Amino acid sequence: MAVKEITNLEFGKMVQTAAAKLTQQAKFINSLNVFPVPDGDTGTNMSMSMASGAKYEREATSLNVGDLAAALAKGLLMGARGNSGVILSQIFRGFAKDVEGKKSLSVEEFVHAYAAGAQTAYKAVMKPTEGTILTVVRESAQAGINDIENGNDQDIVAVMKDILDAGQAALKKTPELLAVLKEVGVVDSGGQGLVFVLQGFYDALIGKESTEQPDSAQIDEMINVKHHQSAQGKLNPEDIKYGYCTQMMVRLGRGKQVDRKFDYDTFYNYLAKLGDSLLVINDDEVVRVHVHTEHPGKVLSWGQEFGDLQTVKVDNMRWQQEEIMEHDDQQDDEESSETPVERAKEQAAKNPETAVIAVVAGEGVAKLYKGMGVTTIISGGQTMNPSIEDLADAIANSGAKQALVLPNNGNIFMAADQAAQVSDIPVAIVHSKSIAQGLTALLEYNPDASLQENHDNMEANCVNVKSGEVTIAVRDTKLNGREIKKDDYMGIVDGEITNTNPDVQTASIDMVKKMLDEDSEVVTILFGQDGNKATAEKIRDAVLDADDELDVQIYEGDQPVYPYLISVE
C-alpha cells in the first residue's frame, strides 16, 4: 500500500529511528577516521547532535510536521558537535524552513524540503569539498528530485528508497573524489553518518523501527550542560548570590495567561534584573531561558505572560554546593595546592571585561591556560567536541561584556562560529587548531586592547608554532605512501603523519627532530595520561643533544589520547 503523505506520526518515527541508528553505529562511523588514531569522533558527534534534535522533536507537542521539523532543527543546532554535527544541523535547518507551517508533507514537499536542506548545507561551508557528506546529501536529494520530475510522486516509501540508494551510491564514490580516502581504503565518515540517517527514515516508513531507541536519561546527560563543577568546592553556599539555576522553554503565544506579544529586549531586560548567568535564545515559536536567580517563581510567571511552559527545571545551587563541599573536603588536604593569591585572582576573574574561553582536555593543560589569562575552561577537544550550546552557555555565563574563544581544534570551528552568532555579547573566534597554537596565541593577548585587535594579533601568532602529537595507531593502514602498523606510535606534525616507531620515546624524539630548524628557540613537552615525566626528560635530553641552545620546557598536561604533545617555536 502506497504512503502518500508524512504526518506527524510518520515524521516522529523517522526522526527517532534515525537517532537510534546513529547511536548504534557511532563506533563504526568513528572507525572510518582517515588517521588510524584512537580519537575518531565523527560518529560520536553526529549521534549526539541527532540525539539532541530527536529530544526536541519528541518533546514538541504540535501535531504539525512543520513545527516538529522546526523543533528538530533547533535541537540539532543547540546540540551540534564538530563540523559533521553542524553540517547535519544545517541540512535540517534548510528542511525546516521549507516546510514551515505545513501540517503534513506530500511526497513532493518532502523531496523539495530535503533538497533545500542540501542547498543550505552547501552554503554553510565556506569551501565545500566533494567526497564528503555534502556529496552524499546533494546526490541523494537529486535522486528524489528526479523521481518527482518523472512523475514518481505517489509513494514516499519508494521515493525514500531511491534517496537512500543514491546516498549509498554517493558514499561508495567518496574515495574516488578524495584521494586520501582511496589511499586509506575508507569511505567518508560524515557521509556514512548521513546514510544511516536516511536508512533510519526508510526503516521507519516500512515499519522497521529500531528496538533500541536512545534512553531519555542518557540523552539528557549527553546534551545538558554541567553547570556546577567541584572546582567550586571552596565557595561557601551562603556566598552564592543567586541560589536557583532556573531553566524554562516557553511556547510563544500559547496558554491561558498570555497577555503580551514577545519582544526580545523587553523579555530579556526583565530577567536580567532577576539574576545573572542569563541566556535567552529564541525563534518565532519558542524561547529558551537559563538564569541564576533568587526568584524562580517570578521567572516562570514572566514566561507565562508570553506563552505556556513546555519544560521547566529549577536546581538549588546552595544545596548542590553543600553536597560538593562534603565530597571535596575529604580530599582537600591532599589535593588543594591553590594559594590565597591564586584564589584572589580567580575571584577577580569571575566578571572580566573580556572573557577568554578555551577548549582543552587535561587538568595540567587547563592550569597552563589559566596561567596565561584564560578565564573559562571548557573541558573537551578531540573525541569530546563541545556542542554549540556548551559554547554559548560558557559565553553567557562568563559575566563578561565580550569574549574571545580558542577552540584549539579545527573540528570545533563551525560550532564556535554558530555559538558566536547566537550570543548576546560580541564574540571573536581565534582559529587555533591545537593546544600549542592556543598557548602561542595567548602570548599576544592584551587585556587593554580591543576585541578585534586581540583577535587579529592572536590569530596571526598561531602560525608561529609547530604542533606535534604522538599517539598510537589503532589499525594497519597506508597513508601518504607510508606503511603504518597497528600499535605503532605515530608522530603527527600540524596534521601530517611524519614518522612511526614501535617505541613511544623513539617516535617522539624522531618527530621533534623533524620539527626543528635554524629558527627554533623553545620546545615545550606536555606529557599526558599515557605518558610520564621520566620519558619526557629523555626526550628533552635528546633534543638538547641535537641543539644545546634550545630552551626545553616540560609540563604535566594530563591530556588523554596523546601521551606527548610537543611544540616548537
Side-chain angles (χ1 to χ4, degrees):
M1 181 179 176
V3 178
K4 294 186 177 183
E5 69 172 352
I6 295 175
T7 68
N8 62 305
L9 295 176
E10 283 83 19
F11 188 76
K13 291 176 182 178
M14 291 165 69
V15 171
Q16 301 304 319
T17 304
K21 195 77 174 176
L22 275 178
T23 298
Q24 295 159 12
Q25 299 293 340
K27 288 184 179 180
F28 171 69
I29 299 170
N30 285 344
S31 73
L32 299 175
N33 192 22
V34 169
F35 277 6
V37 295
D39 64 354
D41 55 11
T42 301
T44 302
N45 286 335
M46 294 188 77
S47 64
M48 293 179 73
S49 302
M50 194 68 185
S52 176
K55 179 177 184 290
Y56 275 62
E57 188 280 332
R58 187 172 56 254
E59 293 179 349
T61 58
S62 175
L63 300 180
N64 293 343
V65 172
D67 296 338
L68 298 180
L72 170 65
K74 179 183 289 291
L76 270 165
L77 178 63
M78 297 312 295
R81 299 169 187 267
N83 294 341
S84 57
V86 174
I87 292 173
L88 188 65
S89 76
Q90 294 304 300
I91 292 172
F92 287 101
R93 174 173 170 262
F95 182 100
K97 286 283 186 182
D98 201 69
V99 302
E100 188 174 359
K102 297 185 185 298
K103 184 175 183 179
S104 62
L105 303 182
S106 67
V107 178
E108 183 174 356
E109 287 171 334
F110 173 81
V111 167
H112 282 296
Y114 182 56
Q119 293 175 358
T120 301
Y122 264 86
K123 292 177 182 177
V125 179
M126 186 174 295
K127 295 180 180 180
T129 301
E130 296 300 334
T132 65
I133 185 175
L134 295 175
T135 302
V136 175
V137 70
R138 176 176 54 78
E139 295 198 3
S140 58
Q142 186 59 51
I145 294 294
N146 292 343
D147 274 351
I148 298 303
E149 292 178 349
N150 292 330
N152 301 326
D153 59 355
Q154 296 303 303
D155 186 2
I156 185 61
V157 176
V159 173
M160 191 68 240
K161 183 64 165 61
D162 289 341
I163 291 173
L164 172 60
D165 288 346
Q168 291 172 330
L171 179 66
K172 290 179 181 178
K173 289 195 306 182
T174 55
E176 301 301 322
L177 298 172
L178 276 181
V180 66
L181 296 177
K182 185 174 184 179
E183 182 179 14
V184 176
V186 296
V187 295
D188 178 68
S189 55
Q192 178 66 81
L194 180 60
V195 166
F196 282 132
V197 171
L198 299 177
Q199 181 72 60
F201 283 1
Y202 178 70
D203 286 352
L205 287 170
I206 64 173
K208 186 182 176 183
E209 296 170 56
S210 172
T211 58
E212 299 180 28
Q213 295 287 347
D215 179 77
S216 295
Q218 291 177 333
I219 293 174
D220 288 343
E221 184 179 353
M222 286 193 296
I223 68 174
N224 288 329
V225 179
K226 294 181 179 178
H227 295 289
H228 316 294
Q229 304 294 331
S230 60
Q232 295 176 323
K234 292 299 176 183
L235 183 65
N236 189 320
E238 296 305 315
D239 292 336
I240 297 177
K241 184 176 181 181
Y242 298 107
Y244 297 94
C245 175
T246 305
Q247 301 178 60
M248 66 178 176
M249 188 180 297
V250 182
R251 298 193 306 165
L252 297 173
R254 304 187 183 193
K256 295 182 179 181
Q257 300 183 46
V258 176
D259 61 4
R260 293 174 180 266
K261 185 176 181 180
F262 181 78
D263 173 76
Y264 185 90
D265 291 337
T266 301
F267 188 86
Y268 184 97
N269 291 338
Y270 176 83
L271 293 175
K273 296 176 183 178
L274 294 180
D276 62 13
S277 298
L278 177 61
L279 175 66
V280 177
I281 300 173
N282 75 287
D283 59 15
D284 293 337
E285 299 173 353
V286 175
V287 60
R288 180 174 180 173
V289 173
H290 167 280
V291 63
H292 293 174
T293 181
E294 278 296 280
H295 304 286
K298 289 184 179 180
V299 173
L300 303 181
S301 295
W302 181 244
Q304 285 183 290
E305 292 189 27
F306 297 88
D308 61 9
L309 304 181
Q310 184 171 333
T311 61
V312 171
K313 187 172 185 286
V314 179
D315 292 321
N316 184 331
M317 295 190 293
R318 294 190 183 94
W319 175 79
Q320 289 177 329
Q321 191 65 20
E322 291 168 2
E323 293 291 300
I324 290 170
M325 289 179 68
E326 287 180 11
H327 176 269
D328 284 0
D329 281 348
Q330 298 174 5
Q331 304 176 31
D332 185 58
D333 292 338
E334 298 178 5
E335 297 181 359
S336 178
S337 59
E338 190 177 42
T339 67
V341 173
E342 288 172 331
R343 287 199 294 273
K345 288 181 178 179
E346 184 177 338
Q347 183 70 26
K350 283 187 176 179
N351 292 296
E353 178 79 15
T354 301
V356 184
I357 301 169
V359 182
V360 304
E363 292 181 9
V365 178
K367 187 175 181 180
L368 277 175
Y369 267 75
K370 286 181 179 179
M372 296 286 287
V374 167
T375 60
T376 302
I377 293 292
I378 300 177
S379 181
Q382 200 65 24
T383 75
M384 45 183 175
N385 296 159
S387 68
I388 293 173
E389 187 171 25
D390 291 335
L391 292 158
D393 279 358
I395 293 166
N397 294 337
S398 68
K401 296 180 180 179
Q402 57 188 14
L404 285 161
V405 179
L406 293 92
N408 295 332
N409 187 306
N411 204 32
I412 304 176
F413 287 177
M414 291 184 72
D417 290 338
Q418 290 288 325
Q421 291 181 28
V422 301
S423 295
D424 295 326
I425 62 174
V427 179
I429 310 300
V430 178
H431 292 88
S432 51
K433 294 182 179 180
S434 66
I435 294 297
Q437 283 195 354
L439 287 170
T440 301
L442 286 167
L443 293 172
E444 289 295 318
Y445 176 63
N446 179 1
D448 297 323
S450 70
L451 184 68
Q452 190 62 49
E453 287 173 333
N454 271 321
H455 168 269
D456 293 346
N457 293 337
M458 293 171 73
E459 192 147 291
N461 209 37
C462 283
V463 300
N464 294 328
V465 62
K466 297 177 184 178
S467 304
E469 305 164 333
V470 179
T471 192
I472 196 166
V474 295
R475 67 173 185 269
D476 291 343
T477 191
K478 182 179 179 180
L479 183 63
N480 294 331
R482 183 185 301 278
E483 295 285 349
I484 300 170
K485 299 296 183 182
K486 183 178 182 295
D487 294 331
D488 275 1
Y489 286 92
M490 301 175 295
I492 305 173
V493 178
D494 292 329
E496 181 179 348
I497 298 175
T498 58
N499 60 282
T500 63
N501 196 280
D503 177 64
V504 66
Q505 179 179 316
T506 303
S508 301
I509 293 171
D510 290 346
M511 180 190 75
V512 71
K513 286 183 176 179
K514 292 178 181 295
M515 298 167 69
L516 298 174
D517 58 34
E518 59 183 13
D519 297 322
S520 300
E521 297 177 355
V522 179
V523 177
T524 303
I525 304 171
L526 300 178
F527 61 92
Q529 294 173 359
D530 298 321
N532 57 74
K533 186 175 182 181
T535 302
E537 290 173 343
K538 291 178 180 178
I539 297 170
R540 176 198 60 195
D541 294 344
V543 170
L544 291 175
D545 285 343
D547 186 345
D548 59 8
E549 294 186 0
L550 291 170
D551 177 11
V552 184
Q553 304 171 358
I554 297 175
Y555 299 96
E556 181 178 4
D558 196 43
Q559 70 273 4
V561 180
Y562 301 98
Y564 301 96
L565 296 176
I566 304 176
S567 64
V568 176
E569 301 174 64

